[in-house]
Amino acid sequence: YTILSKVHSDRNVYPSAGVLFVHVLEREYFKGEFPPYPKPGEISNDPITFNTNLMGYPDRPGWLRYIQRTPYSDGVLYGSPTVENVGKPTIIEITAYNRRTFETARHNLIINIMSAEVDFPLPYQAEFFIRNMNVEEMLASEVLGDFLGAVKNVWQPERLNAINITSALDRGGRVPLPINDMKEGVYVMVGADVPFSSCLREVENPQNQLRCSQEMEPVITCDKKFRTQFHIDWCKISLVDNTKQVSTFQEVIRGEGILPDGGEYKPPSDTLKSRDYYSDFLITLAVPSAIALVLFLILAYIMCCRREGVEKRNMQTPDIQLVHHSAIQKSTKELRDMSKNREIAWPLSTLPVFHPVTGEIVPALHTDSYDNTSMPLMQTQQ
């Protein structure tokens, strides 16, 4: 059901189209490509990572995937070859990086995709979603063998193959929280040559469909045969019958949706004619500028030439109101003038009669030290 091989230099492998292909890149093999550990007697455990790409291209083919969790775990190449690549050797360059010494080692893996044994294999395909597994755990031969054994016990086919394995993260799933060793989940597609069993068809019952819509576990009689090792989400199972889909592919018939033949294509001339952009300039710059200038003149006339002024305001104001306003302005001016003359000698009536410190009587006011014009009306009482 799967091809499991260890890495070797320029190794040739022969997977079949439509059958799961697994290739393990072992760190132990590549350790011999790097210098020994500096301290004698200690076991080398260098972190090693891998880079895989199609020869002459920066990435792998579309059907081939690669995963390596940590630099201290093995890398795995896996995928399901397609029929279009049959007979075309695919050379994968494998580059190992030693993260301690920063050295590299390169090997080639030659994948020769073979055609299937029969013309129409695996017409019935079922895809299961296993919640308690990661993709690298499911790719292990013993774990995948246990799962296929449980499926064969439920389905009872004559031929059963693992077609493809996909991580839930590649299907848009979220990275699980690091709580209770939660797994990301994995999709496993298997194919058989017999119709689906009644147990697998139980998912299509209206009762189970209702429970799935309410996010409840459906009632599946054969779930106990998987529950001991695999927790399957039966609401996400997909059943595909390729025997009913073969007749749906028909030849395309030309109708109204097909454009008529327009004749031979005639490309434009190599010589380009000169174009006058004067009209475009007038439309984009001159016209908006002229409109803006007119608006500016109108606004300037309103703001500068249409002002009423003080004379027009006084003409429209009653005389009594102007008299009152003029009297208020004169009184305000007199008060301001009086406030400016505060430095003039204080009136004698406000001067103290006795000295504030010695208590002696203040001498009489000398008339020669004050201006007679600013003499207050009230005199000091002796």
Side-chain angles (χ1 to χ4, degrees):
Y1 59 87
T2 182
I3 298 177
L4 185 63
S5 59
K6 297 181 179 180
V7 67
H8 293 282
S9 178
D10 296 341
R11 175 70 182 272
N12 285 270
V13 292
Y14 301 89
S16 299
V19 181
L20 180 64
F21 165 74
V22 180
H23 185 81
V24 180
L25 307 178
E26 293 187 348
R27 295 175 60 255
E28 293 295 333
Y29 174 81
F30 284 94
K31 285 181 180 180
E33 301 290 334
F34 303 112
Y37 205 69
K39 296 182 180 180
E42 295 185 5
I43 301 176
S44 175
N45 190 23
D46 296 338
I48 298 176
T49 58
F50 301 95
N51 183 31
T52 59
N53 63 281
L54 183 64
M55 179 174 288
Y57 295 90
D59 203 355
R60 299 174 298 276
W63 61 270
L64 188 63
R65 298 179 181 273
Y66 168 74
I67 187 172
Q68 183 185 13
R69 288 292 177 179
T70 63
Y72 297 95
S73 60
D74 297 334
V76 182
L77 285 169
Y78 66 99
S80 180
T82 58
V83 181
E84 291 78 8
N85 298 323
V86 173
K88 301 177 182 179
T90 303
I91 302 178
I92 303 298
E93 294 180 343
I94 302 172
T95 306
Y97 296 89
N98 190 323
R99 297 302 178 182
R100 180 182 62 86
T101 61
F102 300 100
E103 294 184 346
T104 61
R106 177 168 293 180
H107 298 273
N108 293 332
L109 177 67
I110 304 175
I111 303 176
N112 303 282
I113 302 175
M114 309 298 293
S115 60
E117 298 178 358
V118 294
D119 296 335
F120 192 76
L122 312 176
Y124 303 96
Q125 299 177 1
E127 187 178 50
F128 300 86
F129 177 64
I130 305 175
R131 293 179 293 184
N132 65 327
M133 287 287 175
N134 290 334
V135 62
E136 71 276 7
E137 298 175 348
M138 199 66 197
L139 289 173
S141 58
E142 60 276 5
V143 178
L144 185 58
D146 295 341
F147 178 75
L148 293 179
V151 174
K152 190 173 184 180
N153 188 17
V154 172
W155 202 338
Q156 297 297 329
E158 296 181 2
R159 295 179 63 249
L160 182 68
N161 291 338
I163 299 177
N164 198 6
I165 292 179
T166 308
S167 173
L169 301 182
D170 297 334
R171 296 286 188 89
R174 297 182 178 180
V175 178
L177 296 175
I179 300 176
N180 298 329
D181 196 16
M182 296 181 64
K183 307 295 183 178
E184 64 190 27
V186 61
Y187 289 90
V188 181
M189 178 177 287
V190 298
D193 55 351
V194 297
F196 304 108
S197 63
S198 58
C199 173
L200 299 179
R201 290 288 186 182
E202 291 179 359
V203 179
E204 300 177 352
N205 295 338
Q207 295 82 3
N208 288 331
Q209 291 293 326
L210 179 61
R211 295 178 66 89
C212 289
S213 63
Q214 298 175 353
E215 298 183 357
M216 298 174 61
E217 288 288 341
V219 179
I220 306 297
T221 57
C222 58
D223 180 59
K224 58 184 179 181
K225 297 182 180 180
F226 297 90
R227 184 64 63 176
T228 56
Q229 189 175 359
F230 307 99
H231 295 172
I232 297 178
D233 190 348
W234 292 98
C235 292
K236 293 184 179 181
I237 190 173
S238 176
L239 305 177
V240 179
D241 188 356
N242 290 326
T243 58
K244 297 180 181 180
Q245 299 180 0
V246 174
S247 59
T248 58
F249 296 96
Q250 299 178 359
E251 184 180 358
V252 178
I253 301 175
R254 297 178 63 88
E256 297 180 356
I258 306 299
L259 296 177
D261 188 6
E264 185 179 357
Y265 173 70
K266 297 180 181 180
S269 177
D270 296 337
T271 60
L272 298 178
K273 297 181 180 180
S274 60
R275 183 179 176 183
D276 185 12
Y277 291 95
Y278 182 71
S279 59
D280 297 338
F281 169 76
L282 293 179
I283 295 175
T284 56
L285 294 179
V287 174
S289 300
I291 295 174
L293 180 60
V294 172
L295 295 177
F296 174 76
L297 294 176
I298 294 174
L299 182 61
Y301 173 74
I302 295 174
M303 297 296 294
C304 299
C305 301
R306 297 293 297 176
R307 297 184 64 180
E308 296 180 353
V310 179
E311 296 179 358
K312 186 176 182 179
R313 183 196 63 184
N314 294 339
M315 292 176 61
Q316 296 178 355
T317 305
D319 295 339
I320 187 64
Q321 187 175 354
L322 293 176
V323 172
H324 291 171
H325 181 69
S326 179
I328 293 174
Q329 284 186 340
K330 291 180 179 180
S331 301
T332 304
K333 186 175 182 304
E334 291 180 359
L335 292 175
R336 290 179 179 176
D337 294 340
M338 293 175 63
S339 63
K340 293 179 182 179
N341 298 328
R342 290 181 179 178
E343 296 180 359
I344 300 175
W346 289 84
L348 296 178
S349 60
T350 59
L351 292 177
V353 179
F354 302 95
H355 195 276
V357 177
T358 60
E360 297 177 354
I361 300 175
V362 177
L365 181 63
H366 300 281
T367 57
D368 56 354
S369 63
Y370 292 93
D371 188 7
N372 296 329
T373 57
S374 60
M375 184 64 63
L377 297 179
M378 299 180 62
Q379 299 295 331
T380 305
Q381 294 181 2
Q382 296 297 331

